[in-house]
Amino acid sequence: MASQVASPSASSLNTTSSSTTLSTPVLSPSSPTQLSPDEIELLAKLEEQNRLLETDSKSLRSVNGSRRNSGSSLVSSSSASSNLSHLEEDSWILWGRIVNEWEDVRKKKEKQIKELVRKGIPHHFRAIVWQLLCNAQNMPIKEQYSELLKKTSPCEKLIRRDIARTYPEHEFFKEKDSLGQEVLFNVMKAYSLVDREVGYCQGSAFIVGLLLMQMPEEEAFCVFVKLMQDYRLRELFKPSMAELGLCMYQFEYMIQEQLPELHVHFQSQSFHTSMYASSWFLTIFLTSFPLPVATRIFDIFMCEGLEIVFRVGLAILQMNQTELMQLDMEGMLQHFQKVIPQQLDNSPDKVIQAAYQVKYNAKKMKKLEKEYTSIKSKEMEEQVEIKRLRTENRLLKQRIDTLEKHQCNPRYSEDFVLQLEKELVQARLSEAESRCALKDMQDKILEMEKRNSSLPDENNIARLQDELIGVKLREAEAVMGVKEMRQQVKDLEEHWQRHLARTTGRWKDSPRKNTIQELQEELMSVRFREAETQATLKESKQRLLELETQNQINSNHLRRAEQEISSLQEKTKYLTAQNKGLLAQVNEGKRKQAEVECKYKEDVMAVRLREAESIAMLAELRQQIAELEIQKEEGKIQGQLNNSNSRLYIRELKEEIAEQKHEIQCLKGQRGLSDQHTFDGIHIVNHYLGDDESYHSQMKI
């Protein structure tokens, strides 16, 4: 019907090699006999698809029309061969092996399949992969399709009316009474006969239209049936649309949790979630996004279900939060309808990548589903109660009318009096039961108030009010019902008082009449009290619901506070341990510093001792030199030395002086290594050394 999977010839599969785990052998265009059995089987399947198209005369007309009108239409059977050159050959080979070995691959490599689907299914494999993903192959209902088209559906007029609104700008569907509109009508009509409870819903036509762009109408019908049965679409399209309400409830919770500022802005502008997100869930973005982007999202929907709608929806809100915060309700509607589609504009990778950055908790979604079901069941009970009270009021009015008719008749029957007495007894019993129920409800209210008073007080009133918005909205409807019932009771009282005023004179004639009047008055008063008791009971239930909600909110706050306290305690323990470690490091540093200072003092003392020894040695050397000089002078005066002895004596003195100089040089080297600030006697040493040098200079002279 729409664009089909064209059979790739052997010449178009000219590849070198593939590095993937599902690669196939190298194919040569000149030797088609080298194809593997898996590739031959794939080619056979694809050629079977083309053969089915050729046998369908409608499909042939579609192909011819698309060739005449536009070469870019998706409804061209030659589009597969024309676009084959633009596809990566590795992708063709990979998806070919996946299709051939589907059962094994899906069981063993489900995660890899999800990753591939998120990157996009090649257009030419999309039809067969969609059927494999939803298990729509070889369905028995496919054989009934032709028989269903022969029958008449009660939804045919509605389907005909909406056909022209489905993809009005698409080549395949835009012309009136075209092949596209005809096959779309056939599929929608067939499903309305299969599922009479759902029948036809407008949004479903866009999903069927997308399927018809990929596969023949029989296969599109089978895939659509599977989607309705296994992908929650049937619950979405039911007349009550209960599943859509659940999706809105879950999506609003995700916004409140992950985008609280935007949620508050939506609430302040009365911009409800259903005003912009209902079409996302009903059509899987097909009416909101450009077709290439919506088709990529639909690929993931076929693999993972409605989860992708929640993810993409929240990603869109995150990407546009700044702009939406500055707009009012009308501006936000225009932004969703015009600006966001232009932002995407055939670039699905960005929004899909952002979608998988969104936090999605499947367990929390299940819990929200239970909460929503509980809320709806309570609302149903309230509606049943209101309906019962309205019925009783209607019967009461009928009874009053009957009494008025009997009062006009002077003859009263014993049966009528007995009937009034029985009704009076039943009314009293009902009143007693209502009072017991009211008392139980009041006790519960007191218990809940005591429990709430024991909970810690929360200062953040605005946050609590935001959390109570949903409860207040549900409470408003019930309060309106109670007000309506009270107004009805008030009208009945006024009507009864007028009736008593009209008939006061008639009851004074006969004691029997007065007895009947008393019974009727008592019956009416009991009825009024019962109605008031029911209204009070209703208010008590609403109060109880509000207190339970408040209790739940306080419990949540208390739990969050306990979690914060526990986290702070853990952090305190960690910081205490870290502080102990730092103190230990400080003590160790102080100990090492003390050791260094002690060692330093010992070194200083050693240096001072060496310097004192050096000074003593210098003084001793100086004394020896003085003694030598005295001996020299004595030798010269006495003339005892001969020439040889004088020379020998002088040489010995020179050697001794040289040795003394050497020792002085050694002492100078030791002085240079020591600390100059540790001992003041170093200056004395320098002075002695200076004197010694001057003395030797004189000796040379």
Side-chain angles (χ1 to χ4, degrees):
M1 289 298 120
S3 61
Q4 295 298 316
V5 180
S7 60
S9 61
S11 60
S12 65
L13 293 174
N14 184 17
T15 65
T16 57
S17 63
S18 177
S19 61
T20 60
T21 57
L22 299 176
S23 61
T24 55
V26 179
L27 302 180
S28 173
S30 61
S31 59
T33 58
Q34 295 179 3
L35 291 173
S36 66
D38 292 337
E39 293 165 350
I40 294 174
E41 183 181 356
L42 173 62
L43 292 176
K45 287 184 179 180
L46 296 175
E47 290 182 357
E48 177 66 18
Q49 295 287 334
N50 289 336
R51 188 184 62 77
L52 291 174
L53 283 175
E54 293 174 358
T55 56
D56 192 342
S57 60
K58 296 179 181 179
S59 177
L60 289 175
R61 289 198 300 272
S62 170
V63 173
N64 294 332
S66 63
R67 287 175 179 172
R68 289 193 303 270
N69 296 329
S70 174
S72 62
S73 173
L74 291 174
V75 194
S76 174
S77 63
S78 62
S79 63
S81 58
S82 63
N83 292 332
L84 178 60
S85 59
H86 301 289
L87 295 175
E88 294 182 359
E89 295 175 349
D90 288 346
S91 176
W92 268 84
I93 296 172
L94 180 60
W95 279 102
R97 287 294 295 271
I98 289 174
V99 169
N100 286 330
E101 303 172 3
W102 176 253
E103 296 299 331
D104 294 336
V105 172
R106 186 165 192 177
K107 291 178 182 178
K108 299 178 181 179
K109 300 184 179 181
E110 184 177 0
K111 186 176 181 181
Q112 288 85 339
I113 290 178
K114 284 186 179 181
E115 293 296 330
L116 287 173
V117 171
R118 291 173 186 175
K119 294 178 181 178
I121 302 174
H123 171 69
H124 307 87
F125 286 94
R126 187 165 277 144
I128 189 168
V129 172
W130 281 3
Q131 295 177 54
L132 291 171
L133 285 172
C134 67
N135 241 352
Q137 290 182 317
N138 303 322
M139 291 181 64
I141 199 171
K142 185 176 182 180
E143 300 175 357
Q144 305 174 13
Y145 181 74
S146 58
E147 297 297 328
L148 291 171
L149 295 182
K150 298 177 183 178
K151 299 179 181 179
T152 302
S153 171
C155 303
E156 289 186 8
K157 291 184 179 180
L158 293 175
I159 298 173
R160 288 288 185 192
R161 182 194 65 188
D162 292 335
I163 286 296
R165 305 176 189 174
T166 306
Y167 299 113
E169 298 179 357
H170 196 278
E171 188 72 24
F172 191 42
F173 300 102
K174 69 179 182 180
E175 295 182 4
K176 186 178 181 181
D177 298 329
S178 63
L179 175 62
Q181 292 189 3
E182 185 64 26
V183 295
L184 180 59
F185 172 80
N186 290 342
V187 176
M188 299 308 304
K189 172 186 172 182
Y191 185 80
S192 67
L193 292 170
V194 170
D195 190 353
R196 294 185 180 273
E197 181 182 1
V198 174
Y200 167 73
C201 188
Q202 183 179 4
S204 59
F206 288 93
I207 297 176
V208 175
L210 180 65
L211 297 176
L212 290 171
M213 295 177 197
Q214 314 296 330
M215 60 190 75
E217 59 180 293
E218 294 87 354
E219 296 176 1
F221 172 69
C222 294
V223 172
F224 184 63
V225 171
K226 271 291 184 181
L227 292 178
M228 295 292 282
Q229 292 175 352
D230 300 340
Y231 287 73
R232 295 172 61 184
L233 292 186
R234 186 175 184 275
E235 302 299 323
L236 283 172
F237 289 124
K238 276 186 177 181
S240 63
M241 289 192 170
E243 192 74 10
L244 181 61
L246 171 61
C247 292
M248 295 296 102
Y249 182 78
Q250 293 171 329
F251 190 64
E252 185 173 0
Y253 174 84
M254 292 180 67
I255 299 173
Q256 183 178 359
E257 184 182 40
Q258 302 186 34
L259 302 173
E261 296 180 358
L262 185 61
H263 179 262
V264 172
H265 179 66
F266 283 169
Q267 294 292 332
S268 64
Q269 296 293 326
S270 299
F271 192 61
H272 302 295
T273 309
S274 58
M275 297 174 68
Y276 62 91
S278 57
S279 62
W280 294 353
F281 288 89
L282 289 173
T283 63
I284 321 298
F285 299 103
L286 291 171
T287 58
S288 305
F289 293 174
L291 191 58
V293 180
T295 306
R296 282 285 305 278
I297 297 173
F298 201 85
D299 287 341
I300 305 174
F301 168 74
M302 295 290 294
C303 185
E304 302 180 22
L306 279 179
E307 177 183 338
I308 187 61
V309 182
F310 288 98
R311 288 183 176 276
V312 172
L314 204 63
I316 291 296
L317 294 180
Q318 288 177 345
M319 294 165 63
N320 294 269
Q321 181 177 4
T322 305
E323 293 81 359
L324 292 172
M325 292 288 290
Q326 301 173 359
L327 300 174
D328 57 3
M329 179 191 292
E330 294 181 0
M332 286 189 287
L333 284 174
Q334 292 293 324
H335 192 84
F336 277 105
Q337 293 173 0
K338 296 181 179 180
V339 179
I340 291 178
Q342 293 178 358
Q343 286 179 351
L344 300 176
D345 195 19
N346 301 334
S347 58
D349 292 329
K350 181 179 179 181
V351 68
I352 290 175
Q353 184 178 3
Y356 282 97
Q357 302 298 322
V358 172
K359 296 179 181 179
Y360 181 88
N361 191 338
K363 292 183 179 179
K364 185 63 180 178
M365 300 299 275
K366 287 289 184 183
K367 185 178 179 180
L368 291 174
E369 182 177 356
K370 292 180 180 178
E371 290 180 3
Y372 182 79
T373 305
S374 176
I375 292 171
K376 282 298 178 182
S377 62
K378 289 181 180 179
E379 290 180 355
M380 290 295 295
E381 291 176 0
E382 293 170 357
Q383 291 177 2
V384 170
E385 185 69 16
I386 293 173
K387 186 176 180 181
R388 185 185 69 82
L389 293 174
R390 287 176 178 172
T391 304
E392 289 184 357
N393 289 335
R394 186 174 64 253
L395 294 175
L396 188 57
K397 287 182 180 179
Q398 293 176 359
R399 180 61 61 192
I400 291 173
D401 294 338
T402 305
L403 288 173
E404 290 178 351
K405 291 179 182 178
H406 282 288
Q407 287 170 1
C408 296
N409 190 354
R411 303 174 67 182
Y412 296 95
S413 63
E414 295 290 337
D415 295 336
F416 181 69
V417 175
L418 292 174
Q419 183 180 359
L420 287 176
E421 291 177 351
K422 291 180 180 179
E423 290 182 357
L424 179 60
V425 172
Q426 292 177 356
R428 286 177 176 173
L429 291 174
S430 178
E431 181 183 6
E433 292 176 356
S434 299
R435 286 179 178 175
C436 292
L438 178 61
K439 185 177 180 182
D440 294 339
M441 203 64 67
Q442 289 175 348
D443 293 339
K444 288 184 179 179
I445 290 172
L446 291 174
E447 183 181 354
M448 294 296 295
E449 287 178 348
K450 291 179 181 178
R451 191 182 305 170
N452 288 335
S453 63
S454 63
L455 293 174
D457 187 18
E458 294 291 339
N459 296 324
N460 195 355
I461 304 300
R463 184 176 181 182
L464 290 176
Q465 289 178 349
D466 290 338
E467 294 182 359
L468 283 174
I469 286 175
V471 178
K472 294 295 184 183
L473 292 175
R474 295 191 296 272
E475 181 185 7
E477 184 179 356
V479 171
M480 292 298 294
V482 172
K483 288 182 179 179
E484 183 180 352
M485 289 185 57
R486 287 192 168 182
Q487 185 63 35
Q488 290 178 358
V489 172
K490 186 176 179 181
D491 294 340
L492 286 174
E493 288 180 350
E494 293 177 355
H495 182 69
W496 178 246
Q497 293 297 332
R498 289 196 300 269
H499 172 68
L500 290 178
R502 290 197 306 267
T503 60
T504 302
R506 301 179 184 177
W507 290 93
K508 296 180 180 179
D509 298 335
S510 172
R512 185 184 183 88
K513 293 181 180 179
N514 291 335
T515 304
I516 295 175
Q517 181 186 9
E518 292 175 358
L519 290 172
Q520 290 177 343
E521 288 177 355
E522 188 173 0
L523 176 62
M524 291 300 297
S525 63
V526 170
R527 291 284 188 183
F528 290 141
R529 287 197 300 272
E530 182 185 4
E532 290 176 355
T533 305
Q534 292 292 341
T536 308
L537 181 62
K538 186 71 174 179
E539 290 181 353
S540 300
K541 287 183 178 179
Q542 292 301 319
R543 178 63 178 164
L544 179 62
L545 178 62
E546 183 178 354
L547 288 173
E548 288 177 351
T549 307
Q550 185 69 29
N551 185 27
Q552 183 66 27
I553 293 171
N554 290 333
S555 300
N556 292 337
H557 284 296
L558 182 60
R559 186 175 65 254
R560 285 195 290 268
E562 290 176 351
Q563 291 176 355
E564 291 177 359
I565 290 171
S566 62
S567 64
L568 289 174
Q569 288 177 349
E570 292 178 356
K571 189 174 182 180
T572 303
K573 291 179 180 178
Y574 173 74
L575 292 175
T576 303
Q578 190 175 11
N579 190 23
K580 289 181 180 179
L582 293 175
L583 288 174
Q585 292 178 3
V586 170
N587 293 331
E588 182 68 17
K590 288 181 178 179
R591 186 184 63 80
K592 290 182 178 179
Q593 184 180 3
E595 291 178 355
V596 170
E597 290 178 353
C598 183
K599 187 176 181 181
Y600 174 74
K601 290 179 180 179
E602 292 177 355
D603 293 340
V604 169
M605 291 299 295
V607 170
R608 287 182 178 179
L609 290 174
R610 287 196 298 271
E611 287 178 351
E613 292 175 355
S614 300
I615 291 172
M617 290 179 67
L618 283 172
E620 185 179 353
L621 290 173
R622 188 176 180 84
Q623 185 178 0
Q624 291 178 3
I625 291 171
E627 291 177 354
L628 290 173
E629 287 179 350
I630 292 171
Q631 291 176 4
K632 181 179 178 182
E633 291 295 330
E634 290 177 352
K636 286 182 179 181
I637 294 173
Q638 294 176 1
Q640 295 176 357
L641 296 174
N642 52 22
N643 292 333
S644 59
N645 292 334
S646 298
R647 291 190 188 95
L648 179 63
Y649 181 72
I650 291 170
R651 186 169 59 253
E652 290 177 354
L653 288 175
K654 287 182 178 179
E655 290 177 357
E656 189 174 355
I657 290 170
E659 290 177 358
Q660 296 296 328
K661 286 182 179 181
H662 178 71
E663 290 181 1
I664 290 170
Q665 291 295 328
C666 292
L667 290 174
K668 284 183 179 181
Q670 291 179 358
R671 182 175 60 86
L673 295 175
S674 64
D675 189 4
Q676 294 182 0
H677 299 284
T678 57
F679 190 68
D680 296 332
I682 294 176
H683 300 290
I684 300 174
V685 175
N686 291 334
H687 177 72
Y688 286 160
L689 288 174
D691 293 343
D692 184 69
E693 289 176 356
S694 63
Y695 171 76
H696 284 292
S697 62
Q698 291 176 2
M699 289 293 292
K700 288 180 180 179
I701 294 172

